Amino acid sequence: MAEPYYITTAIHYPNGKPHIGHAYETVAADVAARFQRLRGREVRFQTGTDEHGLKMAQKARDLGTTPRELADEMSGHFRTLFDRLNISYDRFFRTTEEVHHRASQAIWRAMEANGDLYLDRYEGWYSVRDEAYYDESELVKGEGGEKLSPQGTPVEWTVEESWFFRLSKYQEPLLALYRDNPEFVRPAGKMNEVRSFVEGGLRDLSVSRTSFDWGVKVPGADDHVMYVWVDALTNYLTGLGYPDDTEEFRTFWPASVHLIGKDIVRFHAVYWPAFLMSAGIALPKEVFAHGFLLNRGQKESKSLGNVTDPHELADRFGVDALRYFLLREFTFGQDGSYSAEAIVNRANSELANSFGNLAQRVLSFIAKNCGGGFTPEAPVADADAALTDRVRQACAVELPAAFEKLAFAQGLEAWMQAVFACNAYVDEQAPWALRKTDPQRMERVLATLYGCIRDLAIAVSPVIPDASAKILDAMCIDEGARSFAALAAGAPFQAVRVDNPKPVFPRLEMPETEPA
């Protein structure tokens, strides 16, 4: 039996409502989780919100509310969006939960017991927006000559008493980790960046603050709160019951993959494994950093006025069409650009015109001309076997191999080529003409297409779960026969059955205005 699979997103920072980037990452994680479930693996999928830190405290103050009230409101917006986008999370996690304070203090004590924490004075550059410390050598100059972080965010000189983590102690263990596990960080370019950073030398890391109190208290030092990344990263453990010896922890840790944005690779690929080494906890198997989702080639920002509400996109284009576009349009792991035109064109050309039209015209033809079902008797011709093999190769081999590596666009390209092959076969075999000249051959052609449509609907179901379910329902495919095991076993359809097929991909029209 395949080993369990644990996937997490970064827990999202809720100092504002969710944007399209949050939707992108979480949809990708959901597709990976659904795919692994279809492969028969026991899956744990966790997402949630990271609610502590100076940035939250300042935002709450600006709004005239409390950090907790702000966290409650904004976390609710994230959960609502994820439910709207059909995200099949097993755990929606919030760092303000009491169990998380207990877990964060437990890992702190473990690091302290290992001699890796000490009290000193911090003086250096800090970015509130990034919740990150930067060395002078990492800073860049802004247009006005001001100092900025590598991400282009403002930094401020900070002086305060702080607990420090002996990060420098873990330089060689981290380099050994990267050497022995070359796919610990993916894509490969991000691994190169991480390795180069660590090879440049590590300084001990300030891991507590005294200038604000919105966070997890440092054990035995209530005037200190933990650096938000110590707290935030620990969520991956807390969600499995750490520090208790739970069945979930024994089953799912270490995590199979932490799926994150490329701007927080350092925290996950340097700080996090060092914390875990110090605490004597097994390391995750992989950190995968995806690129940014750009609005017509530009990074979204409130100042540019181009921040997109993903609810608006779902309203205008449909949830399945949006999910499909996000993973089909560009290579996962690289930056990608989107627009309303691109979403409409992709959904219409591939979902409505190609796959949707294939399913509807075949299934409705069976319903109308074959009494909703039949048992084919004519022999399987070479063209039938060739199409079946082509589709099964795409659905049971090529797409799964790509999705296993989170290469979603590559997998969907193989799937789409199989759809094109089916449409070409329909035109070549012309079952509407065979109805008059050779009804038995017509039934064999339709049965061949029926099996291929079933394979295509199952394979793509992690991406477009609602539409796939409607097609498989119309084909009377049992719930227990909608897995990759069913694809591998073949489709010995002794009887073709269809019940009330309806179009599932309406053609989209360009909106009069861009969603905002």
Side-chain angles (χ1 to χ4, degrees), residues 115-233:
D116 289 335
L117 297 174
Y118 63 92
L119 193 63
D120 205 338
R121 179 182 176 85
Y122 176 76
E123 294 187 19
W125 296 103
Y126 186 75
S127 166
V128 175
R129 191 177 302 175
D130 297 345
E131 296 283 10
Y133 303 96
Y134 293 105
D135 186 77
E136 181 86 29
S137 63
E138 297 181 89
L139 302 182
V140 297
K141 280 189 176 182
E143 294 181 359
E146 71 277 15
K147 294 179 184 292
L148 300 175
S149 77
Q151 312 295 337
T153 59
V155 295
E156 57 187 42
W157 185 258
T158 301
V159 179
E160 62 182 314
E161 182 182 73
S162 176
W163 284 90
F164 281 77
F165 174 74
R166 298 186 192 278
L167 185 63
S168 58
K169 171 181 171 181
Y170 290 92
Q171 179 171 343
E172 291 307 318
L174 286 169
L175 291 174
L177 168 67
Y178 308 149
R179 183 179 61 251
D180 297 342
N181 301 273
E183 292 195 335
F184 178 71
V185 180
R186 289 200 303 130
K190 292 303 171 187
M191 171 62 97
N192 294 336
E193 290 179 16
V194 167
R195 184 187 295 109
S196 178
F197 173 75
V198 175
E199 287 174 343
L202 296 177
R203 298 190 310 158
D204 289 351
L205 179 68
S206 172
V207 289
S208 76
R209 304 294 303 274
T210 58
S211 56
F212 63 97
D213 63 0
W214 178 242
V216 178
K217 300 292 185 183
V218 170
D222 286 350
D223 55 334
H224 287 253
V225 296
M226 293 182 194
Y227 173 42
V228 68
W229 279 101
V230 177
D231 155 17
L233 292 162

Side-chain angles (χ1 to χ4, degrees), residues 350-372:
E350 296 190 356
L351 294 182
N353 294 350
S354 295
F355 182 48
N357 186 53
L358 168 70
Q360 184 59 23
R361 66 173 171 166
V362 170
L363 300 183
S364 62
F365 188 93
I366 294 171
K368 181 179 180 181
N369 299 290
C370 304

Side-chain angles (χ1 to χ4, degrees), residues 74-121:
M74 292 301 167
S75 183
H77 289 306
F78 279 82
R79 188 188 289 263
T80 297
L81 174 65
F82 296 165
D83 291 345
R84 173 77 189 286
L85 295 178
N86 209 355
I87 305 299
S88 61
Y89 56 83
D90 297 291
R91 178 81 149 87
F92 185 95
F93 190 85
R94 299 184 58 188
T95 56
T96 48
E97 296 177 29
E98 184 59 36
V99 292
H100 181 62
H101 286 239
R102 176 170 168 261
S104 299
Q105 290 176 337
I107 196 171
W108 181 283
R109 290 190 183 96
M111 294 188 294
E112 186 176 35
N114 200 42
D116 289 335
L117 297 174
Y118 63 92
L119 193 63
D120 205 338
R121 179 182 176 85

Side-chain angles (χ1 to χ4, degrees), residues 34-50:
R34 288 177 179 271
F35 165 72
Q36 295 294 347
R37 293 189 192 107
L38 282 183
R39 299 206 85 177
R41 297 177 75 174
E42 186 178 4
V43 171
R44 178 83 169 187
F45 170 25
Q46 180 166 304
T47 188
T49 44
D50 172 16

Side-chain angles (χ1 to χ4, degrees), residues 314-332:
D315 285 343
R316 295 195 178 199
F317 307 124
V319 170
D320 274 359
L322 178 59
R323 288 171 61 103
Y324 182 83
F325 172 84
L326 291 175
L327 297 188
R328 172 71 170 117
E329 185 75 1
F330 31 78
T331 299
F332 194 66

Side-chain angles (χ1 to χ4, degrees), residues 277-343:
M277 289 176 187
S278 175
I281 300 171
L283 307 187
K285 298 173 185 176
E286 181 183 335
V287 174
F288 191 102
H290 64 78
F292 290 141
L293 194 59
L294 307 175
N295 187 336
R296 296 183 177 275
Q298 286 187 308
K299 188 175 179 181
E300 292 195 346
S301 72
K302 293 178 182 177
S303 61
L304 292 175
N306 65 347
V307 176
T308 303
D309 180 357
H311 281 287
E312 182 72 13
L313 292 176
D315 285 343
R316 295 195 178 199
F317 307 124
V319 170
D320 274 359
L322 178 59
R323 288 171 61 103
Y324 182 83
F325 172 84
L326 291 175
L327 297 188
R328 172 71 170 117
E329 185 75 1
F330 31 78
T331 299
F332 194 66
Q334 300 178 5
D335 291 348
S337 188
Y338 78 96
S339 65
E341 294 95 334
I343 297 172

